[in-house]
Amino acid sequence: MLDAALAVFAEKGYEGATLDEVAERAEFGKGTLYNYFPGGKESILFALLDEVYDGLVAIIEAYFTDEAEQHRPTRALFRDFIAALIAYFSERQAVFMIMVKEAQRLMLDGNTAARIFAQRERLAETTAAPIQAAMDRGALRPMDAHGVAHMLMGNVHGYMMYASCPPVDGDHHRKARAFLSSPEKGADFIATILFDGLLTEQARA
Amino acid sequence: MLDAALAVFAEKGYEGATLDEVAERAEFGKGTLYNYFPGGKESILFALLDEVYDGLVAIIEAYFTDEAEQHRPTRALFRDFIAALIAYFSERQAVFMIMVKEAQRLMLDGNTAARIFAQRERLAETTAAPIQAAMDRGALRPMDAHGVAHMLMGNVHGYMMYASCPPVDGDHHRKARAFLSSPEKGADFIATILFDGLLTEQARA
DNA sequence: TCAGAAGGTGACCGATCAGTCACTTGGCGC
DNA sequence: GCGCCAAGTGACTGATCGGTCACCTTCTGA
């Protein structure tokens, strides 16, 4: 049932989606929706977002607790983490769309901001742990690990927006974007910027 | 009149805003709105977004063509550019909200994606020029300047989302976020990540 | 076999709102 | 002062949609 809501909300957006359509997609009557979600349309959205964030937290935790990943070089560890996130979103366009269209909107709305922000904190917290560990062992610059985690997620988001947009007519950057269109290439791109930095060696002198 | 639309759309979101409210805020009758924007609600939104993007392109161009800025060290130039962007959005919360809530949504909607994406390309193009110049003179790593420009804008967006969110109850990161809450601190944070890179010197060996 | 519960249903209702249009207002030329 | 046009107006309408509820259809257990 939440799968149906995911598909419809992702396609039409929360406001544009009708419960009739969600019900039809779920192969239930509209009344049944209200048996499961007495809170109505909004509670369906929140349940959906909870599920989406739970899924994300789960794969992040799984990645960083995987025994094999534990003792790899820091840069390779995070580069592949970024690749895994990009692959995850690429295979789940609807999940990505919900997060962009609805979660961002709700985050900027006073009534719902706290709820969504708490979910994003969970995400950031989960990602911040291995970042803090890498800082502690001297592999990463000592900074606010929590803030770095937010920015890392933000970079993946930015990359997905950039990469997933349809080519514009007469777009002379199509080639450049195609270059970035695999999770591996995208992860290299982001990792180079974030971990190596944009400055050349001589510019640092 | 677009100012009124900006305020109302930013507060309630496009779908949630009513034209009655826009008209009231603008101190016009609803019919007058249709004299100016025969295309109705949607054409008001597009006119508004055009204005928003024009304003952004203008300040970016102004920053990079300012004579005094021309020959500063690359890192300082871009660090201050980031600070200027953060300050711009901080002073114009409504502009930021429109871009997050509506532009992002429209970018992921097949019918309107091309139009919004073209505007973002203009932004990226404007920012890409000085980045390309810095690459050409060997100050920045040779990469896809256009992609780097997108990621830079994305980082400012990510930072704004992170910084502008209201503190959550029991949020033990409030202090960390307060640390980032001035444009100067935020720009230092982003510039360190993007230009210097997260890896420590010894981890690069 | 039947009573009753649990789960499912969709026609209906009331509220909302984008868009319309017959009308008013005010200012300008003559 | 008058005619006329441009600009402005808001009550109205038709469509849409969230939410309700009286009813139906299993299923269970006695």
Side-chain angles (χ1 to χ4, degrees):
Chain A
M1 198 133 86
L2 284 177
D3 286 350
L6 175 67
V8 176
F9 286 170
E11 190 189 344
K12 313 261 180 163
Y14 173 72
E15 306 279 358
T18 70
L19 289 186
D20 286 302
E21 201 169 348
V22 173
E24 190 186 3
R25 187 92 156 222
E27 296 181 313
F28 278 110
K30 182 156 62 153
T32 312
L33 251 49
Y34 280 85
N35 289 345
Y36 285 81
F37 301 98
K41 197 182 185 187
E42 196 175 61
S43 78
I44 296 177
L45 178 60
F46 282 130
L48 181 55
L49 284 173
D50 286 347
E51 200 187 58
V52 162
Y53 278 107
D54 284 349
L56 262 177
V57 168
I59 70 135
I60 295 173
E61 273 177 348
Y63 181 85
F64 283 113
T65 55
D66 183 339
E67 194 63 25
E69 307 287 352
Q70 281 307 309
H71 299 97
R72 300 176 57 207
T74 301
R75 192 188 188 284
L77 178 69
F78 284 104
R79 194 221 79 110
D80 289 353
F81 172 61
I82 293 168
L85 282 182
I86 294 175
Y88 183 83
F89 284 127
S90 296
E91 289 161 13
R92 278 162 254 251
Q93 300 271 338
V95 169
F96 179 67
M97 288 204 179
I98 288 287
M99 292 189 64
V100 172
K101 286 184 181 175
E102 306 312 331
Q104 297 237 14
R105 177 176 64 81
L106 294 173
M107 250 181 102
L108 293 178
D109 178 330
N111 300 323
T112 50
R115 175 147 189 185
I116 301 298
F117 196 65
Q119 293 280 25
R120 288 186 97 94
E121 288 290 298
R122 276 175 64 216
L123 267 193
E125 209 57 61
T126 310
T127 314
I131 291 174
Q132 186 66 60
M135 287 175 181
D136 290 345
R137 66 174 179 267
L140 296 184
R141 258 175 233 288
M143 301 176 75
D144 169 27
H146 196 262
V148 170
H150 266 283
M151 297 309 289
L152 195 158
M153 304 302 290
N155 271 273
V156 172
H157 167 163
Y159 167 78
M160 290 297 301
M161 289 298 290
Y162 178 52
S164 75
C165 257
V168 178
D169 270 1
D171 176 7
H172 54 291
H173 293 287
R174 197 172 317 159
K175 213 170 91 200
R177 206 151 47 245
F179 170 71
L180 294 174
S181 65
S182 85
E184 298 306 315
K185 302 286 177 135
D188 283 336
F189 186 73
I190 297 177
T192 300
I193 296 177
L194 292 186
F195 289 93
D196 304 333
L198 286 166
L199 290 177
T200 52
E201 298 313 313
Q202 67 261 33
R204 290 168 200 254
Chain B
M1 196 134 83
L2 284 176
D3 285 350
L6 174 68
V8 176
F9 286 169
E11 190 189 342
K12 313 261 179 160
Y14 173 72
E15 305 277 0
T18 70
L19 289 186
D20 286 302
E21 201 169 349
V22 173
E24 189 186 3
R25 187 89 156 227
E27 295 181 314
F28 278 111
K30 181 154 64 152
T32 311
L33 250 49
Y34 280 84
N35 289 346
Y36 285 82
F37 300 99
K41 198 181 185 187
E42 196 175 60
S43 78
I44 296 177
L45 177 60
F46 281 130
L48 180 56
L49 285 173
D50 286 348
E51 200 186 57
V52 163
Y53 279 107
D54 284 349
L56 262 176
V57 169
I59 69 135
I60 295 173
E61 271 177 351
Y63 181 84
F64 283 114
T65 55
D66 183 338
E67 195 63 23
E69 305 287 353
Q70 280 308 310
H71 299 96
R72 300 176 56 207
T74 301
R75 191 188 187 284
L77 178 68
F78 285 104
R79 194 221 78 108
D80 289 352
F81 172 60
I82 293 167
L85 282 182
I86 293 175
Y88 182 83
F89 285 128
S90 296
E91 289 162 12
R92 278 162 254 251
Q93 299 273 338
V95 169
F96 180 68
M97 287 205 180
I98 288 286
M99 292 190 64
V100 172
K101 286 184 180 173
E102 306 313 331
Q104 298 238 14
R105 176 176 64 80
L106 294 173
M107 250 182 102
L108 293 178
D109 178 329
N111 301 324
T112 50
R115 174 146 191 186
I116 302 298
F117 196 64
Q119 293 280 27
R120 288 185 98 94
E121 288 290 297
R122 276 175 64 217
L123 267 193
E125 208 59 60
T126 311
T127 314
I131 291 175
Q132 185 66 60
M135 286 176 181
D136 289 345
R137 66 174 180 266
L140 296 184
R141 258 175 232 288
M143 300 176 75
D144 168 29
H146 195 262
V148 170
H150 266 284
M151 298 308 290
L152 194 157
M153 303 302 290
N155 271 274
V156 172
H157 167 162
Y159 167 78
M160 290 297 301
M161 288 299 291
Y162 178 52
S164 76
C165 257
V168 178
D169 271 0
D171 177 7
H172 54 292
H173 293 285
R174 197 172 317 158
K175 212 170 92 201
R177 206 151 46 242
F179 170 70
L180 294 175
S181 64
S182 86
E184 298 306 315
K185 302 284 178 139
D188 284 336
F189 186 73
I190 296 177
T192 299
I193 296 177
L194 292 187
F195 289 92
D196 305 334
L198 287 166
L199 291 176
T200 53
E201 298 313 313
Q202 67 261 34
R204 289 168 200 253

